[in-house]
Amino acid sequence: MTIKVLYTGAFRFPQVDAAAKRVAMVAKLLEQNGCHVTFAGWEATQTPFQEYRHQDRPCISMNELDQKASTRIRKLTGFLKQGEKTLSWLKTGQHTFDAVIAYNPPALFANRLRRLGKTMGFCAMLDSTEWYDNSHLPGGPFGPVALENTARMRLAYCGFDDVICISRFLEARYNNRNVINIPPLTQVLAAVPDAHPHTSPVSVLYAGNLGRKDKLASFIQALPRIQMRLGRPVRLRIAGMDQAALISVLGQSGDIAAALSHVDCLGRLTPDAVKAEYLGCHFSVIVREDKRYAWAGFPTKVPESLGYACPVIANRVGDIGHILTDGHDAILADEDTFMDRLPDAIAQALEPGRHQAMRTAALDTAGRHFTTHAHIAPMRRFLERAGFASRLSKDIHR
């Protein structure tokens, strides 16, 4: 008998942001083990509980997000009560499920979903991909949003017996439960592009809107020294924001102002244009703070870059240093050593034949760690431990 799964939470279809990509790929893993997945995203629609299809999968809009509030109190109340419409819809019994997976749910919703699962007979599961830094949240580290974040991570999430997570850090946190570690997955495995001409500028891509998670200043400051060492132009190409937005984040003081002449801000690009940037650049770059939130998460940009055969320049924070190998599919360095380490490391990576080998290795790493094929069997074991062994299909669909 098919296992009927509902995937719900603060993701929006048909958007292609990290949340939507995450649940779509985990759902594919479930389907490859014979499950039937329905999505209940929290996107706002004109018609509550509107049913539609996305990528040929059944979806129902829960209308939990993007609601305009007239006062701060109403806005806060709405935030704390997110998921209430979803619970009410589940209680109607119009659709029945064997398992309900909650993607990064609020604390109150998480607790109520687990209780409802016991009442209605479905298995309440958690998909945990973040541990937000309280200082990054609206209201600061002692505001109500930060208190809710603490409640969900330290109390509500500890009540789930079956947990899907995104990092070894979170896997260790949930280690006394049925837990599976699924990093961000990619469907892209591009062919290795032809070698760049040795006379062309060395191009490095940052794809995304620079926020508090990514610390790009140290890399930008190193760009003039990298160009001096290579003896050829070096360009950092930022796909996702314009120069005014970049300056508002980084400022223009000291070394930053001098290095901005090496930066090309491309603004927001279409997915096809971003793909072309990955295929055309020598490397991508991502720099994260050495803090708990960075260890708990995993940047979607890494498997995306590797899937396009684009080696990554990064610091060893979280699972990046565990999965990627310096000089093989990536250039890894501590952020405080970028200025001294990166010029020689990049020069070595661009030696004849070396960069093409790194591109091939990047693609191989993507296939071994960041595709559904690599995680079908672990997902089957996860479902077996969750109590569905007798209902899993005998054949794994690859």
Side-chain angles (χ1 to χ4, degrees), residues 268-339:
R268 293 181 63 86
L269 300 181
T270 65
D272 284 342
V274 174
K275 172 184 176 181
E277 288 294 330
Y278 273 120
L279 294 174
C281 285
H282 292 81
F283 307 96
S284 70
V285 63
I286 184 164
V287 187
R288 289 282 168 98
E289 283 186 297
D290 189 5
K291 290 187 176 181
R292 183 184 63 196
Y293 76 87
W295 285 83
F298 194 100
T300 305
K301 298 178 183 69
V302 170
E304 184 176 73
S305 180
L306 298 177
Y308 287 120
C310 184
V312 179
I313 299 172
N315 56 332
R316 293 182 179 88
V317 172
D319 288 357
I320 288 177
H322 174 69
I323 295 177
L324 275 61
T325 303
D326 183 39
H328 178 65
D329 49 19
I331 297 175
L332 303 180
D334 296 330
E335 185 183 2
D336 59 1
T337 65
F338 274 11
M339 193 70 74

Side-chain angles (χ1 to χ4, degrees), residues 15 53 60 65 81 85 105 135 163 165 256 269-270 351 364 373 385:
Q15 289 190 6
R53 297 190 75 82
I60 305 164
L65 300 175
K81 293 171 66 177
K85 297 174 185 176
S135 65
V163 179
C165 66
I256 288 292
L269 300 181
T270 65
E351 291 175 356
D364 178 67
H373 180 81
R385 294 191 300 266

Side-chain angles (χ1 to χ4, degrees), residues 4 51 89 97 105 118 131 186 206 262-264 349 379 392:
K4 296 171 64 178
E51 298 191 22
W89 174 80
F97 301 96
K118 294 178 181 178
W131 191 333
T186 180
Y206 174 85
H262 297 269
V263 179
D264 300 318
M379 177 58 78
L392 288 168

Side-chain angles (χ1 to χ4, degrees), residues 125-171:
M125 297 179 174
L126 171 68
D127 185 4
S128 177
T129 70
E130 301 272 7
W131 191 333
Y132 299 110
D133 190 314
N134 284 345
S135 65
H136 293 174
L137 297 173
F142 304 107
V145 179
L147 293 175
E148 193 282 333
N149 179 55
T150 299
R152 72 168 70 176
M153 296 305 301
R154 296 196 178 278
L155 298 173
Y157 287 8
C158 295
F160 285 89
D161 294 323
D162 304 288
V163 179
I164 303 168
C165 66
I166 202 170
S167 63
R168 294 198 306 159
F169 181 94
L170 290 177
E171 184 180 13

